[in-house]
Amino acid sequence: MIIRDLEKIDTVAYLSRIRNENEREHQLRLIKIYEELPELRELDLKISDAAIAEAKKRILNSGERSEDYKDVIAELSQKKTELLTKSGYPADYLEPIYNCPICKDWGEADGQICSCVKKLRINELYKRSNLNNLLEKENFETFNLDYYEQKEFSGKKATPYDNASRILSNAKRYVKEFDEKHEKILIYGSTGLGKTFLSNCIAKALLDTEHTVLYLSSNELFEEVLSGYIMSHNEEDKATLEPVYQYIYSSDLLIIDDLGTEVLSSFVKSQLFEIINKRILTNKATLITTNLSLNTLEDRYTERVMSRIADNYILYQLYGNDIRYIKKKI
């Protein structure tokens, strides 16, 4: 199963490779610059000598002032920067190279796992789930309102087009205001109306702004991850699923797609409430899509679950004719 491969990502080896690649690139830059600008090499040697002398002074506690060496180093560094920029290079061209400036590609910062490691695992989950390719096709740029009819729909004040247009605008606003509001959303409606497409639009927009997004279908969430992690007696399986289980509660946005397609049980009901309730309490954003009506959701998952959703979620209903059928006709 795709999700079970997540823990097999060797982040230590990955980060080691990144550090080696960046160090190799750094050395290649030095070789190139030293050949092109030999006077810059002389400046670096002088900076190095001054730094060593300053360190020795501190160790020996000699009478020389530390500021003398610091002034020398600052002056030499300024000359180095001027020489680089005058030769057409960025001022920081010879600085160490890091993919992640927070942890400097070591995977930890302030004793905590760095966000870059979490993003690596989430992005790998998307890649292995083929969602990377999917998100290239399903995003705000490709969301086409023309498939929604611009005529009255039974029992609704707004046309399917006007309704979908409003929801699309709100979804874009949701992304822009995500860090301030962390809103929870339920998108419901019949099959083939673009609910998953819209959730993918939001997912891609947030991933592009370096937020952690965990997408799981309802089947994957309850039957693969939660059952495997909570119900399994196999410690190896539990260890494998541990990262995904943690992301259910810690990711910036959790997307539960197609709620209602899983096999219903008391376990599913209790875990759904646990996820919804805990993410509300920790102010984490959640997006749920479902083909079920609000009344059916309450009958299926209990009033307790729907009460949390009604009080804390923004509800969007997509309606109209099946877009997939319209696409086939076109």
Side-chain angles (χ1 to χ4, degrees), residues 53-270:
E54 197 274 337
K56 284 182 178 179
K57 180 207 71 64
R58 282 190 284 107
I59 294 171
L60 298 174
N61 196 24
S62 69
E64 295 175 278
R65 295 189 314 123
S66 175
E67 288 76 8
D68 293 340
Y69 291 105
K70 290 179 180 179
D71 290 343
V72 169
I73 293 172
E75 184 180 347
L76 291 170
S77 297
Q78 180 62 31
K79 288 182 179 179
K80 177 179 172 182
T81 299
E82 290 173 356
L83 182 58
L84 274 173
T85 54
K86 185 178 178 181
S87 302
Y89 292 97
D92 62 350
Y93 186 70
L94 295 181
E95 294 296 315
I97 302 169
Y98 304 118
N99 284 25
C100 178
I102 298 174
C103 69
K104 295 181 170 53
D105 301 328
W106 284 97
E108 287 190 7
D110 298 325
Q112 301 293 323
I113 295 177
C114 185
S115 59
C116 71
V117 174
K118 297 179 181 179
K119 289 166 189 171
L120 166 66
R121 287 172 170 165
I122 290 293
N123 289 338
E124 191 66 20
L125 176 62
Y126 268 71
K127 189 188 302 180
R128 295 180 186 193
S129 302
N130 296 319
L131 279 175
N132 273 349
N133 294 331
L134 181 60
L135 295 182
E136 290 302 316
K137 299 176 182 177
E138 299 190 358
N139 53 69
F140 284 129
E141 297 297 321
T142 61
F143 194 97
N144 191 349
L145 288 168
D146 293 339
Y147 292 118
Y148 296 90
E149 294 182 310
Q150 300 189 48
K151 60 183 181 181
E152 291 185 3
F153 192 78
S154 176
K156 302 297 181 183
K157 293 181 180 179
T159 66
Y161 177 92
D162 289 338
N163 178 61
S165 179
R166 177 183 63 86
I167 295 174
L168 178 61
S169 295
N170 287 339
K172 292 178 179 179
R173 175 195 57 77
Y174 175 81
V175 170
K176 289 181 180 178
E177 300 176 354
F178 185 82
D179 289 327
E180 290 75 37
K181 296 190 175 181
H182 305 286
E183 292 174 326
K184 291 79 177 164
I185 293 178
L186 173 70
I187 306 176
Y188 67 103
S190 303
T191 59
L193 292 175
K195 298 184 298 297
T196 299
F197 197 123
L198 189 59
S199 70
N200 287 340
C201 293
I202 292 172
K204 176 170 172 53
L206 289 175
L207 284 170
D208 287 347
T209 52
E210 299 187 345
H211 292 85
T212 53
V213 179
L214 180 59
Y215 170 101
L216 292 170
S217 71
S218 189
N219 277 321
E220 287 175 327
L221 174 61
F222 295 110
E223 297 177 21
E224 293 289 335
V225 180
L226 294 175
S227 291
Y229 181 76
I230 296 172
M231 308 293 283
S232 176
H233 297 294
N234 187 312
E235 292 303 317
E236 185 176 344
D237 285 348
K238 291 173 76 72
T240 299
L241 289 170
E242 170 75 19
V244 189
Y245 179 78
Q246 295 299 329
Y247 285 137
I248 290 172
Y249 295 102
S250 66
S251 59
D252 295 331
L253 175 66
L254 170 66
I255 298 177
I256 305 174
D257 193 36
D258 268 345
L259 182 67
T261 57
E262 75 290 336
V263 177
L264 189 62
S265 65
S266 58
F267 174 79
V268 168
K269 293 178 183 179
S270 64

Side-chain angles (χ1 to χ4, degrees), residues 286-325:
T286 309
L287 193 162
I288 300 173
T289 72
T290 181
N291 297 332
L292 305 179
S293 68
L294 297 181
N295 288 336
T296 304
L297 283 172
E298 182 171 339
D299 292 340
R300 182 178 174 88
Y301 298 106
T302 74
E303 182 181 353
R304 188 172 68 149
V305 169
M306 280 308 297
S307 175
R308 290 291 190 278
I309 291 176
D311 290 342
N312 297 278
Y313 279 60
I314 299 172
L315 309 181
Y316 292 127
Q317 181 186 18
L318 284 169
Y319 52 79
N321 294 318
D322 191 326
I323 290 175
R324 290 171 295 190
Y325 176 70

